[in-house]
Amino acid sequence: MAKGLQGFSWTMLLLFCAIQELGAWAMHTAVEGPGLGQPGDPALLAGGRVKRGWVWNQFFVVEEYTGTEPLYVGKIHSDSDEGDGSIKYTISGEGAGTIFLIDEITGDIHATERLDREQKTFYTLRAQARDRQTDQLLEPESEFIIKVQDINDSEPRFLEGPYIGSVAELSPIGTSVMQVKASDADDPTYGSSARVVYSVLEGEQHFTVDSKTGVIRTAVADLDRETQDRYEVVIRATDMAGQLGGLSGSTTVTIVVTDVNDNPPRFPQKMYQFSIVETAPVGTAIGRVKAEDSDVGENTDMTYRVKDEEGVEMFKVTTDSNTQEAVITVQKPLDYESKKVHTVVVEALNKFVDPRFMDLGTFRDQTIVRVSVLDVDEPPEFRPPSNLMEVQEDAHVGSVVGVVTALDPDTANHPVRYAIDRSTDAERIFDIDANTGAIVTGKVLDRETAGWHNITVLAMEADNHSQVSRASLRIRILDVNDNPPELATPYEAAVCEDAKPGQLIQTISVVDRDEPQSGHRFYFTLAPEATNNHHFSLLDIKDNTAAVHTQRMGFNRQEQDVYLLPILVVDSGPPALSSTGTLTIRVCGCDSNGAIQSCNSTAYVVSATLSPGALIALLVCILILVVLVLLILTLKRHHKSHLTSEDDEDMRDNVIKYNDEGGGEQDTEAYDMSALRSLYDFSEIKGGDGGGGPGEGGLSGNPASELHALPQWVQSPDLDFSMFRDYICKKVEQADEDLSVPPYDSFQTYAFEGLDSPVPSLSSINTWSSSSEQDFSYLGGWGPRFRQLAALYAGRRGEEDSEES
């Protein structure tokens, strides 16, 4: 407190003389230091010492004050106060202005409220002395404490209750049970208000309590859990050290008497009888027996065992941890024909024995258990119980895999029949001889499809099929070398154009579905068709892998971009099998570091720097270019179709296509013959000769005469076809030179007319003789459809004869 003032003296005046002297000494101790005086004091500026201090004379206030007037707490006073009222005293901190009020002139402090020390033991406040005129601090702010003085207004309370303790039965006198503790809210440093003593109100016949510590102890040595296992003891706590006028409180303590193993186990019966059939499997429970124990908890845990040698061999006794019963089970197969009754001696003893109570008697007991074996008709038994057989996968159908044997254990010894449970062999891969039990193969085996077969064999009495025994049989298919080795994957490799000789291209491994006992061993070599290969070499690494290396300097994608290298793989047999696989090697362009950039084949390597967005943009650009090219070609074609030809007539505009036969001359709807006639101007041909020819009169006559003259005009040697030939050749030349459009002219070649025609040909194309040499009278016999044709040629024949005459 003196250090906080740094240069000022403090004086503390208390009600008690000793405290007052100590406070006076502390407050009047001078402590030097710069800047600790009143602001603006010349003595402080000169570095001189100033002796100032606070004076107050009381710091305690009694709790639970019930008077009507404010309770006087004390007085604060500065030794610089001359009593002229120029100094104003103020306080701040806990309760200032509410609980505690101060007279600004005298410095007297009063408490205006009722205080409770159990809620708050002291209050910390700060005092200030100020100039009433200027409101400047005349003294440094000082901190002081007002303590609340205690009175005995709180009774002892057991705050940790309810109390539950325990003590073992038969414990000696004075055995500590537990400790209780009462709390008093009064001030333990002031008077005897918080001094508590303990006593027993109820249960003092069996227990005592230490008056100072509250430790509860046994008062008797014959506590018996089996007689009474719980006691209720009432403990009282009184303050004022138990003096008259002290306050008190009480609590109830529950004391549980715990069990000790002071009671031995006892069987309620000296003999038990059970029965079981002889076919009961090992582990079958025969019955249960139980020894009783008056103790509880782990003191009743039992251990049972078989005492006689015969019972130890045939039966087993275990303890049910939940019920503490002895469970008797079959440990060895029973046989009615061998022994009908078994006698077993079962002993029970406590699992945890307390040596302190061994003098009370033996802690074990025995009983006799008689087990009667009942006779039943037993199914056949398999002998020996071997369940593993082996067979080669290339065994022929009908080969013997192994033999199973079963016998009837009954004295009748009935014959046994065998069968296979087809639910375990639905595909009927194996068969069994019903009389001998020989298992044979029923189908061709394949280890690569199924290497193990688990089947169930049935054995039954011949005259009673309900007596069935089952045996699980595992058949292992032994491997033979019937699968050639194959390349592990369809290998594809890449080689740079600037590759050097000896460069590793690809490491090759193979797979083989076989599993030889000595392990796989494969041999690699180039196939015979690749012996003349000078580009690549194959090296067998001797660890069932091979390496492909380059054998020449550099490759050229323009010359060859893909190499197919056949590789022959042979296994170690026996017999040795082989297969040929192909390694595809692509020639690619690489950068200076050997990283593949591009290959001529379809998208072998895609650049890692090409993002999906860039790839989509590239595809869109290509699509736009294709559409533009198609649009330009379409516009150009459309434009050419509208251009005026150099000639007045374009044969492409007059070619007419039809692919129906029509109905002959009488069918006027199938085709308009005038379209063909418009192509030939017969009057122009006639006028071009300048004089009559043989066809002059025919070409200028009526329509009937034109029809008769048409074949003669086609065959006439006097006609000049040069103008047509020149015209057609010119058009063909124009079409050949125009590469932007497909050819519109169509030329068809008829090499022969066909075979097996029932009538002679009517065509005049290959006829070089005159029509007068032909006789068309036979057309009349072809039916109504050829009458008009016959009349036409008959009329033409008459005209030709008249002209010749």
Side-chain angles (χ1 to χ4, degrees):
M1 190 172 183
K3 292 181 180 179
L5 294 176
Q6 305 231 352
F8 289 92
S9 300
W10 295 88
T11 303
M12 183 171 62
L13 197 55
L14 302 176
L15 293 175
F16 304 99
C17 295
I19 300 176
Q20 183 177 9
E21 293 176 1
L22 179 61
W25 172 81
M27 291 301 172
H28 289 85
T29 300
V31 180
E32 295 183 2
L36 300 178
Q38 182 177 354
D41 193 337
L44 293 178
L45 297 177
R49 175 182 298 178
V50 177
K51 188 175 181 181
R52 297 277 180 92
W54 288 96
V55 179
W56 47 76
N57 57 7
Q58 190 172 356
F59 294 92
F60 294 90
V61 61
V62 179
E63 69 170 334
E64 304 296 344
Y65 172 71
T66 58
T68 58
E69 297 295 331
L71 179 63
Y72 179 76
V73 177
K75 181 184 184 68
I76 64 172
H77 183 72
S78 174
D79 57 4
S80 62
D81 189 358
E82 297 179 355
D84 56 358
S86 62
I87 296 179
K88 180 177 67 175
Y89 295 99
T90 59
I91 59 174
S92 61
E94 296 177 336
T98 56
I99 300 176
F100 304 103
L101 300 178
I102 186 172
D103 189 318
E104 294 182 354
I105 299 175
T106 63
D108 293 334
I109 301 175
H110 292 80
T112 61
E113 295 181 7
R114 182 177 178 180
L115 303 180
D116 186 1
R117 192 204 66 84
E118 285 70 33
Q119 294 183 357
K120 191 171 182 61
T121 59
F122 64 91
Y123 295 84
T124 302
L125 295 95
R126 293 177 298 276
Q128 301 94 24
R130 297 178 178 272
D131 187 285
R132 188 174 297 276
Q133 300 297 327
T134 63
D135 200 36
Q136 291 185 351
L137 281 174
L138 301 178
E139 297 282 357
E141 186 177 73
S142 175
E143 183 178 280
F144 63 96
I145 297 175
I146 299 177
K147 293 185 177 181
V148 181
Q149 188 173 358
D150 182 53
I151 63 173
N152 188 21
D153 60 344
S154 299
E155 72 277 3
R157 294 183 180 181
F158 293 91
L159 302 179
E160 299 177 2
Y163 293 94
I164 300 177
S166 63
V167 62
E169 62 176 332
L170 302 180
S171 295
I173 297 175
T175 302
S176 176
V177 179
M178 64 180 302
Q179 183 181 16
V180 295
K181 185 177 182 181
S183 298
D184 196 315
D186 294 325
D187 189 358
T189 63
Y190 181 74
S192 299
S193 300
R195 293 180 60 187
V196 179
V197 295
Y198 303 92
S199 60
V200 178
L201 288 182
E202 296 180 11
E204 63 274 6
Q205 300 89 350
H206 300 92
F207 300 95
T208 61
V209 64
D210 189 293
S211 61
K212 295 182 179 180
T213 62
V215 176
I216 302 174
R217 302 179 185 275
T218 58
V220 295
D222 57 351
L223 293 177
D224 186 11
R225 188 203 62 83
E226 286 74 28
T227 303
Q228 183 175 352
D229 61 352
R230 186 181 297 267
Y231 293 89
E232 302 291 338
V233 181
V234 178
I235 305 297
R236 179 173 62 186
T238 306
D239 60 9
M240 297 295 292
Q243 298 177 5
L244 186 63
L247 303 178
S248 64
S250 63
T251 185
T252 300
V253 179
T254 301
I255 299 177
V256 178
V257 180
T258 60
D259 184 60
V260 296
N261 193 9
D262 57 342
N263 295 283
R266 291 290 182 263
F267 282 105
Q269 296 178 217
K270 291 302 179 182
M271 179 178 290
Y272 297 87
Q273 291 188 355
F274 299 100
S275 61
I276 188 171
V277 296
E278 63 174 333
T279 57
V282 174
T284 302
I286 299 174
R288 292 171 175 248
V289 296
K290 183 180 180 181
E292 298 178 353
D293 195 326
S294 300
D295 297 321
V296 294
E298 65 176 13
N299 294 321
T300 62
D301 290 351
M302 299 290 177
T303 298
Y304 298 92
R305 61 184 179 181
V306 179
K307 289 291 291 182
D308 60 305
E309 296 182 359
E310 179 188 358
V312 170
E313 181 182 0
M314 297 298 300
F315 302 98
K316 181 180 179 181
V317 178
T318 58
T319 304
D320 188 330
S321 60
N322 295 324
T323 63
Q324 297 301 315
E325 293 177 316
V327 181
I328 305 172
T329 58
V330 178
Q331 184 168 287
K332 190 176 180 180
L334 303 174
D335 188 8
Y336 173 81
E337 288 74 20
S338 299
K339 191 169 185 178
K340 299 178 177 59
V341 178
H342 296 270
T343 301
V344 184
V345 178
V346 178
E347 183 182 58
L349 63 156
N350 280 131
K351 190 174 182 180
F352 305 101
V353 179
D354 194 335
R356 295 177 299 171
F357 309 105
M358 293 297 295
D359 56 347
L360 298 178
T362 177
F363 282 81
R364 62 183 64 193
D365 194 17
Q366 294 181 352
T367 188
I368 297 174
V369 178
R370 291 174 57 88
V371 180
S372 300
V373 182
L374 304 179
D375 184 31
V376 294
D377 186 8
E378 301 173 81
E381 296 179 353
F382 285 92
R383 301 176 183 176
S386 176
N387 62 347
L388 177 63
M389 295 183 179
E390 295 180 344
V391 61
Q392 295 279 350
E393 67 172 319
D394 58 349
H396 298 289
V397 176
S399 300
V400 177
V401 179
V403 179
V404 294
T405 303
L407 299 177
D408 185 7
D410 297 324
T411 55
N413 195 16
H414 296 95
V416 178
R417 295 292 180 266
Y418 303 93
I420 294 178
D421 186 354
R422 289 305 174 185
S423 64
T424 62
D425 185 25
E427 299 180 2
R428 295 183 175 271
I429 300 176
F430 300 97
D431 294 322
I432 189 171
D433 190 294
N435 298 318
T436 64
I439 298 176
V440 298
T441 58
K443 289 185 178 182
V444 177
L445 304 177
D446 184 13
R447 188 204 65 82
E448 287 70 33
T449 303
W452 288 86
H453 295 275
N454 298 322
I455 64 174
T456 300
V457 179
L458 309 178
M460 61 198 78
E461 295 181 1
D463 55 351
N464 185 7
H465 289 180
S466 62
Q467 296 298 324
V468 179
S469 295
R470 297 173 177 267
S472 298
L473 185 62
R474 302 172 68 239
I475 302 177
R476 179 183 179 184
I477 311 301
L478 300 178
D479 183 52
V480 297
N481 192 30
D482 57 348
N483 291 281
E486 299 175 350
L487 295 183
T489 59
Y491 286 102
E492 286 195 8
V495 62
C496 297
E497 288 185 296
D498 56 352
K500 297 179 176 56
Q503 182 175 337
L504 176 64
I505 298 177
Q506 182 70 46
T507 300
I508 296 174
S509 60
V510 297
V511 293
D512 196 329
R513 297 176 61 191
D514 295 320
E515 291 183 359
Q517 296 181 357
S518 59
H520 286 290
R521 177 69 180 95
F522 303 111
Y523 305 92
F524 299 85
T525 183
L526 293 178
E529 57 267 26
T531 54
N532 295 328
N533 168 63
H534 300 293
H535 306 288
F536 306 97
S537 62
L538 181 67
L539 175 62
D540 193 339
I541 307 179
K542 307 300 183 181
D543 61 349
N544 291 340
T545 61
V548 178
H549 297 83
T550 57
Q551 202 173 5
R552 53 169 285 186
M553 174 69 76
F555 294 86
N556 190 343
R557 282 188 294 171
Q558 303 300 326
E559 296 178 358
Q560 186 173 354
D561 60 346
V562 177
Y563 292 89
L564 301 178
L565 188 65
I567 299 174
L568 179 66
V569 184
V570 184
D571 61 15
S572 55
L577 301 179
S578 63
S579 67
T580 302
T582 301
L583 171 63
T584 302
I585 304 175
R586 304 182 186 277
V587 181
C588 303
C590 304
D591 58 12
S592 58
N593 296 325
I596 296 175
Q597 297 295 323
S598 63
C599 300
N600 285 0
S601 58
T602 304
Y604 182 71
V605 176
V606 178
S607 175
T609 59
L610 189 59
S611 63
L615 184 60
I616 294 175
L618 181 59
L619 293 177
V620 171
C621 293
I622 294 174
L623 180 62
I624 293 174
L625 291 176
V626 171
V627 172
L628 290 177
V629 171
L630 293 177
L631 183 60
I632 292 173
L633 292 178
T634 304
L635 292 176
K636 186 174 181 180
R637 176 180 174 183
H638 181 71
H639 179 70
K640 282 183 173 292
S641 63
H642 290 81
L643 292 177
T644 304
S645 177
E646 295 180 0
D647 299 304
D648 295 336
E649 185 178 2
D650 192 346
M651 286 296 293
R652 290 177 294 183
D653 298 335
N654 298 318
V655 174
I656 300 173
K657 177 182 178 182
Y658 64 100
N659 54 5
D660 58 340
E661 292 188 68
E665 292 290 342
Q666 293 178 347
D667 186 0
T668 59
E669 297 179 358
Y671 187 75
D672 186 8
M673 297 300 293
S674 63
L676 289 177
R677 294 192 184 98
S678 63
L679 300 178
Y680 307 98
D681 190 355
F682 299 106
S683 61
E684 182 179 348
I685 298 174
K686 176 181 177 182
D689 292 337
E696 179 180 354
L699 292 175
S700 60
N702 54 26
S705 63
E706 291 179 3
L707 291 175
H708 292 296
L710 181 59
Q712 185 178 4
W713 174 80
V714 173
Q715 301 177 13
S716 177
D718 298 333
L719 295 177
D720 186 8
F721 291 96
S722 59
M723 57 176 292
F724 295 101
R725 182 170 56 254
D726 294 341
Y727 178 80
I728 293 175
C729 291
K730 185 176 180 180
K731 293 300 181 182
V732 170
E733 183 178 357
Q734 292 178 357
D736 292 339
E737 293 178 354
D738 191 357
L739 302 179
S740 62
V741 295
Y744 288 97
D745 299 303
S746 176
F747 297 94
Q748 299 180 0
T749 303
Y750 300 90
F752 57 91
E753 293 183 348
L755 302 177
D756 299 332
S757 177
V759 295
S761 176
L762 297 178
S763 175
S764 59
I765 296 177
N766 296 327
T767 303
W768 297 101
S769 62
S770 63
S771 60
S772 61
E773 299 176 0
Q774 299 183 20
D775 185 12
F776 298 98
S777 60
Y778 61 86
L779 296 176
W782 285 6
R785 294 186 178 182
F786 294 88
R787 289 177 183 175
Q788 186 174 359
L789 183 63
L792 176 64
Y793 277 90
R796 179 185 172 191
R797 176 75 179 272
E799 292 177 0
E800 291 177 354
D801 293 339
S802 62
E803 289 177 358
E804 290 177 358
S805 61

